Structure formats: structure tokens, C-alpha cells
Amino acid sequence: MRNIAILGSTGSIGTQTLDIVREHKEIKITALAAGSNIELLEKQIREFHPKIVCVYHENMAMKLREKVKDLTITIVSGMDGLISCATEGEAEMVVTAMVGMIGIRPTIEAIKAGKDIALANKETLVTAGHIIMPLVKEYNVALLPVDSEHSAIFQALQGEAHKSMKHILLTASGGPFRGRKLSELQNIRKEDALKHPNWSMGQKITIDSATMVNKGLEVMEARWLFDLEIDKIQVVVHPQSIIHSMVEYIDGSVIAQMGIPDMRLPIQYALFYPERIDLIGGKQLDFTTLKQITFEEPDMDTFFGLALAYEAGRNGGSMPTVYNAANEWAVARFLENKIGFLAIPTIIKEAMKNHKRIENPSLIDILNVENETYDFVKEYAESEFKYKP
Amino acid sequence: MRNIAILGSTGSIGTQTLDIVREHKEIKITALAAGSNIELLEKQIREFHPKIVCVYHENMAMKLREKVKDLTITIVSGMDGLISCATEGEAEMVVTAMVGMIGIRPTIEAIKAGKDIALANKETLVTAGHIIMPLVKEYNVALLPVDSEHSAIFQALQGEAHKSMKHILLTASGGPFRGRKLSELQNIRKEDALKHPNWSMGQKITIDSATMVNKGLEVMEARWLFDLEIDKIQVVVHPQSIIHSMVEYIDGSVIAQMGIPDMRLPIQYALFYPERIDLIGGKQLDFTTLKQITFEEPDMDTFFGLALAYEAGRNGGSMPTVYNAANEWAVARFLENKIGFLAIPTIIKEAMKNHKRIENPSLIDILNVENETYDFVKEYAESEFKYKP
């Protein structure tokens, strides 16, 4: 029996985690949390019987309380509610699958409560890796990556010593605009950017894939997860998304993890680690029908959001928070059709240029920097891109 | 300090093992053995100072004794001499790099003397896996594969449980005649068959690559090394020889080991296992210049020597010995220009057809079957291929 809490249960990772739980009666759901999708949350409650559920927005929490008043269940809301779900006594593992910096505090509190973390929230390590990683050590919990690339690296590292690692080769599909030049990205529409060639994911992460900012966030995340200098983490464009990432060792040996793109595989790997179990309904890689896989260098001039991630990562401190917050704000506006595609990396660049870096930011510093970044980029977009709120 | 003995020190694997030892003063050579190349052996003796050396042919051993009479060294000969080298007291590991079934007895004796084995002799497991593997367990020694494919599988298995394995995907370059049809292989000359696209190896193994019999032997060897049914070991043709082999797990995850073809990598991995160390002068895989890697199904109609290996492996018992002995004899005759290229798998096929399988052959049975096979194929080749001794 393994008890897990899922934060972000109505999103892409959350629902796929529940798909796996459905097939494994030995897993018990103790807590669920979501932003506002109470219709789906109600269904999940009736199927998985959690003890406590958080709806981030209190007005939606009230509506959910009404809907499930026939059940004995605690419905909470807000950041305190989220933290209650993250620290609920029976859970042994917390799946952090919410999008955005909202994930940091619940993750910290879950670690302090001794829970293992299945990490699907990028922002946590990108902005607060220097706070999280020492806590993971101090409280002796497992931090298991759920992202397919980081799971691949984690799998390729099994049985190997950290000192043997030479490079991490983080693969990238290159997104829907791979091969295009900067001038060709000027008039990209939201509909085009939402067409990812290999993975079906949430809207935010799909846009991040199109800009390759997603790969930039992954590079910064890998730096913390695998304790390697950022310049030893190299991006390899591999359009078929069959190799999910690789580790190159000091003897020249490269260990790669491969598979049909299916997020349930890394999710299940984290849930059952170190055991591997059958992936029900999973497809098998067939190399004879696959025929070939290809590799390219990333075009960092066109996808300069990726180059900026290396810059932010090298600078460290509060700079990755600026990178992330500026991107988060810009992607949301792009999805509202209020700014263009290339405005996204441009806004990140300007926000980083404007920021006075804090060496070792506290959690409060991080949250302040996030808000200051939002203020700056809003003003910048109003003046430069005629953005209107 | 690690003390090693090398059996087959003047061959391709032997000399490359010494290339590594040369760079690592912490390794001491305690014994060397070779067939007849006493010129090279003398150089090796003067550089690496072994205590005991075996020259298989006594007349050559006598000549070597004369050459090195200025040194305090024991020169032995024959099978007893080989076994003395394999069991010499100071060695902790024996590299078994001799070609042919001559390797079986020294390997058995080394295991019984508590030595770890770096296995580069294919015939040992192919013909006597059912004897060797229980001994490895009984004497609690490590059996480390040196072959690049088996080393790749072994590396891909690090940190994983045996029960998680679903398939082994053994990669094959396909050799110099990949893509050709049976009729096009009729008039192949020795010179063409000796041109391997990716690996520089001894003559016997290069011909075995051209017929894909080498891959067949590897399949049978993998069955013992990794304790998996032969039909769970699949051959994937991958002409670039970048992926050295893969393991597919029950969850659909595939772990691959990759690298620039360089035999020193798997040799060094076996010598220093479980530690990885810098490969001096080793080249780094560069995925952006690599551009693409391809996969094909093996053509078992054309390269029917490979299909016969699966048949021999499924039959088990003494059948793999027949497969191996028939091939060994036929390749030697092909290298003497006495039979044609397609006679090689045809002779294997007929020898297998003729053989009355022994279920659980003893070492004596195996050696008898080898000799009976030689007698049969000689007669068969004389009548069918007008072979003249």
C-alpha cells in the first residue's frame, strides 16, 4: 500500500497519475488539489475517496462543498489549504503537478513533513533549487523527477556514481517551429504554437516547447536535480522524441533512456521507484518500424529563449526567477492573443537586463522578485508591444 | 593495485587490454599467454614483467625461453601451461581473450581458483554456459563481459532488477554485406569479407560478422550471461554501431549504451568495474555531427547463419557446440580460400542436421562433439564443396 497526495490533480500530469492509480489498487489517494475545475474534481473525489481536497479559489471551494455534501470530506482552499493537502498525515508521497511558482511552498512543507516528492512542477527547482535541495538532504526524502527528460536522466544514472558523470545530454524535440529562422517566427499564431509534434500537454508547457523556453527551464532544473554545472548540461535536438535524454560518462560511454512518448511511463516510474512494473496499455518501441532517429544542434539564435536560460542559470541567485516569471507572464498574454510569439523571449531578455540580481534569495525574496518582474514586464509590454490589460 | 592475467595477449583484445594497462600503473600483469607470436610476446614480457608466460605450442615456447633467458620468468606450454597462467596465485582477474574452445578449461579452472573473469572468449559460454554459470555462482566470482554488445547490456542493467527485463535488443552492424541478397553472396572473396565497416578486429571474428554468425554466437552467449530465454533476445541491425545494445524493460522503457566504436571502452569497464574512469585518448560521441542513426530488421533468409543460431540456442545441450565447431572449421577453410562464403552457414546447417543432441553435455562430451563435428564437416565439405585438405 502506498499513500499519495496529488497537487494539480485536474491537469495533464494529475489526470495521467490518476490513470495509473486506477490500475493499481495498492495505491491510495489521501489528498487532491486543483485550481478551479470542480466538475472534474468532484468525479475524482467520488472515484478515489481522498480525505482532504483543496480548491485554490475559495468561491469554487464553496461550490464544491455543496456538490459533495453527501460525503465525509474536508474541502479547503488557498495556499494554507494547499499546504494542508501537501502535509496530510497519511501520504508517503506528494505528486507536485501544479503549474507555476505556487508549487514552491507546498513542496517545501511536504519535504519538512517527511514526504517523498514526485516532482512535476518545474518552477520549484528553477527558482528555489538552492532552498529545496538542502532540505531534501536534511529531511532525507526522495525527490523523484516526473518530467520525461529528467526521469530519463535519473534512469540513466541508476547504479552509477555521481563523479562518473561528464555531461547530461538533454534531448529536445525542437517544437513545431524547428528549422525556422527568426524572421519566420514573427507572425506565429497561438493555434500553430499549440501544435506540438510529439507530446500532448497543457497549453502553457506547449507554448514553452515552441519557444524552447521549456528546455531552458529543464536545463536549470537538471542543474539542481543532478548537481552538475549548467554548462555540462547540453541540449541535443532530436525531433522524434524517442531518446528522452542521455548521460555521458567520463569513459565516453553514453547511457540513454528511450521509449514511445507516453507521460505515464515517467509518472509510474516515480510512483513505484525503484521497482519497474508493467505499463498497462503502454506501447513498445519497435526499432524496425522506427527506421531512424536524428540529431541536430539547437538553434540558439532563433530560439534565443534557450540561450537566455543558460545565461540565467549561470548568473543564478534570483535571475532564474526573473526568467521564469517573465516567461509565465508573457505566455499568458500570448495565449490571450495580446502579444506576439517573439515578444515572449524578448520580454524575458528585457526583464533579465533590468533585474538587480540577489545572490542567495530567500523564499520571500523569490516571491518579491516574481512580483517585481510582473510589474516590470507589464509596463515594458505596454510601452514596447502596445499591450493593453 | 589490481593483478590480472591475460590469456590471448597477442590478439586484438589482448593488445588493447595491455594498451589500457600501460596507462594505469595500478594494474600489475601476473601472467600472459599466447598461441605462437613469440616476437610480440617477448616485447610484452619486457614491458609488463609477468611472473609466468604460456606459449601454447611447445616448440615456440622453447624459442621464447632462449630469447628471454636473461630474465627470471617461467615459460610454460600447452593446456596445462595455459591453466597454470589462469590460476596463478597473485592474479585477481583473468582476461580470457583467446579464440576458440581452447578457452573453456582455463576459464573453469580460473573460476575454481576464485578469479574474476573478464570474458572475451565467446566459445566458453556458447558451448559450456550450463557448466560455467553455476560455477560462477558457486565460487562467487564476477563474470564481466568484454564484448562491446554484452558490455552494453551489462551497463544498461546497472541498478535494475532481473525480473524487470523484458527483452534484450542486441545491435548488429549487419557487416559488409548488409542489404545484399543470398544470390549476391555466392562469389564473395576473402578480401571483401575482411572489410568490416566499423570495427577493427581479428580475422575470424571479422568473417563471423560478415556471415552474422558472430551475432548468433552473441545471442547464445547473452542467453547465459543475462539468464534470459533466447527468444527474448532480439537482433536489431543498426549499421552505425553507435548503440552497442539495449535492454527493454517491462514498463516499455529502453536503456541503451552508446559510444564511438572503441573496444578499449568495454575492456576498461570490465577491468575497473564498478568504477568508470577516463578513457585516455577516447573519442566523445558528438550527436550534432552524428546527425542520424538507423535501424533495420535482420535479413535471416540471406544471413541464415543467424537463424541457425536461434535454432541451436533453442535446442540447447550440445547443439551450440556443433554450431560453433562447424563454423570455426568452415571459417578457417574460407580464410585459406578452400571453400566459398556461403559454404560457411551451409556447413553449419548440415552439421546441426547430422548431430544427435546431448541434453546436458559434460566438458568431455563437449570436446568429443567438437571433434566429431570437425570430422563430419570435413567429410561433408569434401563431398559437397570439393574441399581438399
Side-chain angles (χ1 to χ4, degrees), chain B residues 318-373:
Chain B
S318 55
M319 202 54 94
T321 297
V322 174
Y323 178 95
N324 180 68
N327 178 63
E328 198 169 300
W329 187 91
V331 171
R333 300 299 86 74
F334 176 72
L335 286 171
E336 294 165 1
N337 289 315
K338 292 201 168 170
I339 60 170
F341 185 73
L342 285 179
I344 301 171
T346 306
I347 284 171
I348 298 173
K349 189 178 174 181
E350 292 304 317
M352 283 173 60
K353 209 189 285 179
N354 174 69
H355 179 64
K356 281 194 184 63
R357 181 179 161 279
I358 303 166
E359 174 72 30
N360 196 20
S362 67
L363 189 53
I364 292 168
D365 291 333
I366 291 170
L367 298 174
N368 284 341
V369 167
E370 182 187 27
N371 285 323
E372 287 162 21
T373 304

Side-chain angles (χ1 to χ4, degrees), chain A residues 152 155-156 158-160 163-164 166-167 169 234-236 243 246 248-260 265 268-269 274-279 282-285 287-288 290-298, chain B residues 152 155-156 158-160 163-164 166-167 169 234-236 243 246 248-260 265 268-269 274-279 282-285 287-288 290-298:
Chain A
Q155 292 178 52
Q158 291 305 304
E160 302 281 355
K163 64 172 181 172
S164 305
K166 191 170 180 186
H167 293 114
L169 304 171
Q234 299 169 352
V235 173
V236 176
I243 298 181
M246 306 180 256
E248 186 200 335
Y249 291 96
I250 50 172
D251 58 1
S253 189
V254 173
I255 304 289
Q257 189 268 344
M258 310 161 102
I260 298 283
L265 200 160
Q268 179 175 288
Y269 188 78
E275 211 182 334
R276 288 188 188 273
I277 57 167
D278 228 359
L279 183 67
K283 280 184 196 147
Q284 190 178 320
L285 252 187
F287 285 90
T288 57
L290 181 64
K291 299 240 187 298
Q292 66 165 29
I293 56 181
T294 61
F295 306 99
E296 298 168 16
E297 217 166 337
Chain B
Q155 291 178 52
Q158 291 305 305
E160 302 282 353
K163 64 173 180 171
S164 304
K166 191 171 180 185
H167 292 113
L169 305 170
Q234 300 169 352
V235 173
V236 176
I243 298 182
M246 306 179 256
E248 186 199 335
Y249 291 96
I250 51 173
D251 59 2
S253 190
V254 173
I255 304 288
Q257 189 267 345
M258 310 161 102
I260 299 283
L265 201 159
Q268 181 177 287
Y269 188 77
E275 210 182 337
R276 288 189 188 272
I277 57 166
D278 227 1
L279 183 68
K283 280 184 196 151
Q284 190 178 321
L285 252 187
F287 285 89
T288 57
L290 182 63
K291 298 235 187 305
Q292 66 165 29
I293 56 182
T294 62
F295 306 99
E296 297 168 18
E297 217 167 335

Side-chain angles (χ1 to χ4, degrees), chain A residues 191-262:
Chain A
E191 297 72 47
D192 303 321
L194 284 174
K195 283 178 196 145
H196 193 274
N198 303 325
W199 295 95
S200 163
M201 306 174 289
Q203 288 207 339
K204 158 74 165 58
I205 191 173
T206 304
I207 301 302
D208 286 349
S209 290
T211 58
M212 290 194 80
V213 164
N214 183 47
K215 210 48 59 179
L217 293 169
E218 285 174 9
V219 168
M220 289 193 271
E221 210 184 348
R223 179 250 168 282
W224 291 110
L225 269 172
F226 306 111
D227 190 22
L228 208 64
E229 291 163 44
I230 199 153
D231 288 302
K232 291 190 173 173
I233 302 167
Q234 299 169 352
V235 173
V236 176
V237 174
H238 158 50
Q240 299 82 19
S241 298
I242 294 298
I243 298 181
H244 298 148
S245 278
M246 306 180 256
V247 177
E248 186 200 335
Y249 291 96
I250 50 172
D251 58 1
S253 189
V254 173
I255 304 289
Q257 189 268 344
M258 310 161 102
I260 298 283
D262 182 341

Side-chain angles (χ1 to χ4, degrees), chain A residues 30-105:
Chain A
T30 60
L32 294 175
S36 57
N37 186 350
I38 57 169
E39 283 70 33
L40 181 51
L41 206 42
E42 186 190 351
K43 282 186 197 155
Q44 292 178 345
I45 289 169
R46 295 191 184 278
E47 181 175 1
F48 295 101
H49 316 294
K51 279 176 65 180
I52 181 169
V53 165
C54 176
V55 187
Y56 198 73
H57 300 286
E58 169 57 20
N59 59 331
M60 299 305 275
M62 280 172 63
K63 286 187 193 167
L64 183 62
R65 280 187 201 106
E66 189 58 31
K67 279 171 177 282
V68 297
K69 63 183 173 192
D70 58 312
L71 303 175
T72 327
I73 184 171
T74 311
I75 310 279
V76 292
S77 70
M79 181 50 82
D80 282 355
L82 204 51
I83 290 172
S84 295
C85 285
T87 56
E88 190 281 325
E90 283 188 6
E92 290 147 346
M93 172 179 268
V94 178
V95 180
T96 62
M98 64 285 256
V99 174
M101 286 174 61
I102 201 174
I104 304 174
R105 281 195 59 207

Side-chain angles (χ1 to χ4, degrees), chain B residues 3-297:
Chain B
N3 296 328
I4 70 166
I6 306 176
L7 311 185
S9 69
T10 59
S12 172
I13 298 293
T15 53
Q16 290 183 80
T17 304
L18 288 172
D19 287 344
I20 292 164
V21 173
R22 187 174 292 119
E23 306 283 354
H24 295 280
K25 300 301 170 205
E26 67 272 28
I27 303 181
K28 196 183 143 193
I29 296 293
T30 60
L32 294 175
S36 57
N37 186 349
I38 56 169
E39 284 70 31
L40 181 51
L41 206 42
E42 185 190 352
K43 280 186 199 156
Q44 293 178 345
I45 289 168
R46 294 191 184 278
E47 182 175 1
F48 295 101
H49 316 293
K51 278 175 66 180
I52 180 168
V53 165
C54 174
V55 186
Y56 198 74
H57 301 286
E58 169 58 20
N59 59 331
M60 300 306 273
M62 280 173 64
K63 286 188 193 166
L64 184 63
R65 280 185 203 107
E66 187 59 30
K67 279 171 176 283
V68 296
K69 62 183 174 192
D70 58 312
L71 303 175
T72 327
I73 185 171
T74 311
I75 310 280
V76 293
S77 70
M79 182 52 81
D80 282 355
L82 204 50
I83 290 172
S84 294
C85 285
T87 55
E88 190 280 326
E90 283 188 7
E92 291 147 348
M93 172 179 267
V94 178
V95 179
T96 61
M98 65 284 258
V99 175
M101 287 175 60
I102 201 175
I104 304 173
R105 281 195 59 205
T107 306
I108 289 175
E109 297 307 322
I111 294 170
K112 287 184 175 173
K115 317 290 189 194
D116 290 336
I117 306 292
L119 186 80
N121 172 274
K122 284 204 168 64
E123 291 79 2
T124 305
L125 287 186
V126 169
T127 65
H130 61 291
I131 297 170
I132 298 285
M133 296 314 290
L135 284 177
V136 166
K137 216 170 174 179
E138 184 183 342
Y139 289 89
N140 196 26
V141 299
L143 181 66
L144 302 160
V146 164
D147 207 6
S148 66
E149 289 83 354
H150 298 111
S151 178
I153 297 161
F154 187 68
Q155 291 178 52
L157 281 169
Q158 291 305 305
E160 302 282 353
H162 183 271
K163 64 173 180 171
S164 304
M165 258 199 287
K166 191 171 180 185
H167 292 113
I168 283 174
L169 305 170
L170 198 72
T171 53
S173 72
F177 308 131
R178 181 177 59 87
R180 299 207 199 171
K181 290 291 154 200
L182 203 55
S183 58
E184 301 172 85
L185 296 184
Q186 206 67 54
N187 300 312
I188 289 298
R189 294 170 312 154
K190 176 181 152 184
E191 298 71 49
D192 303 322
L194 284 174
K195 282 178 198 148
H196 193 275
N198 303 324
W199 295 96
S200 163
M201 305 174 290
Q203 288 206 340
K204 158 75 164 59
I205 191 174
T206 304
I207 301 302
D208 286 349
S209 291
T211 57
M212 289 194 81
V213 164
N214 184 47
K215 210 47 59 178
L217 293 168
E218 285 174 8
V219 168
M220 290 193 270
E221 209 185 349
R223 179 251 168 283
W224 290 110
L225 268 173
F226 306 112
D227 190 21
L228 209 64
E229 291 164 45
I230 200 153
D231 287 302
K232 291 190 173 172
I233 302 166
Q234 300 169 352
V235 173
V236 176
V237 175
H238 158 50
Q240 299 81 19
S241 297
I242 293 299
I243 298 182
H244 298 148
S245 277
M246 306 179 256
V247 176
E248 186 199 335
Y249 291 96
I250 51 173
D251 59 2
S253 190
V254 173
I255 304 288
Q257 189 267 345
M258 310 161 102
I260 299 283
D262 182 342
M263 274 311 294
R264 293 180 312 139
L265 201 159
I267 295 170
Q268 181 177 287
Y269 188 77
L271 294 187
F272 288 90
Y273 177 80
E275 210 182 337
R276 288 189 188 272
I277 57 166
D278 227 1
L279 183 68
I280 293 164
K283 280 184 196 151
Q284 190 178 321
L285 252 187
D286 180 349
F287 285 89
T288 57
T289 58
L290 182 63
K291 298 235 187 305
Q292 66 165 29
I293 56 182
T294 62
F295 306 99
E296 297 168 18
E297 217 167 335

